[in-house]
Amino acid sequence: LKEMAARIRARGGLLRIVTHINHPAELTAEALIAIRNIQDCGVELLNQTVALKGVNDSEAILQDLFMQLDDLE
């Protein structure tokens, strides 16, 4: 992954991966390690979150999720 990201950057591009994290509970220690490893390869991570009734349909949960994701940059 690191080599691929470097080749893409050398051509003026940027390798991006989109995650689908919908709740702060999904940001486990294992997930955070994986995210950091991907970022260390020079890959930009984006996230797509869908609103799920009864899961993340409150402002507080979404705020918590988005703040934790933002801290990963």
Side-chain angles (χ1 to χ4, degrees):
L1 191 58
K2 186 179 267 187
E3 291 174 13
M4 182 188 314
R7 286 196 314 264
I8 291 170
R9 277 193 310 278
R11 293 186 296 206
L14 179 62
L15 180 58
R16 294 180 182 98
I17 294 175
V18 179
T19 58
H20 297 270
I21 300 168
N22 295 308
H23 192 278
E26 294 179 275
L27 293 171
T28 63
E30 184 178 46
L32 294 172
I33 290 169
I35 288 168
R36 295 279 189 219
N37 287 340
I38 292 169
Q39 290 174 320
D40 288 346
C41 289
V43 177
E44 180 180 14
L45 285 172
L46 305 171
N47 187 67
Q48 178 176 327
T49 299
V50 297
L52 299 168
K53 185 176 181 179
V55 175
N56 67 355
D57 57 351
S58 78
E59 181 181 340
I61 290 174
L62 287 175
Q63 181 178 2
D64 184 22
L65 173 62
F66 296 152
M67 294 304 293
Q68 286 190 53
L69 291 170
D70 188 59
D71 288 343
L72 295 173
E73 294 183 45

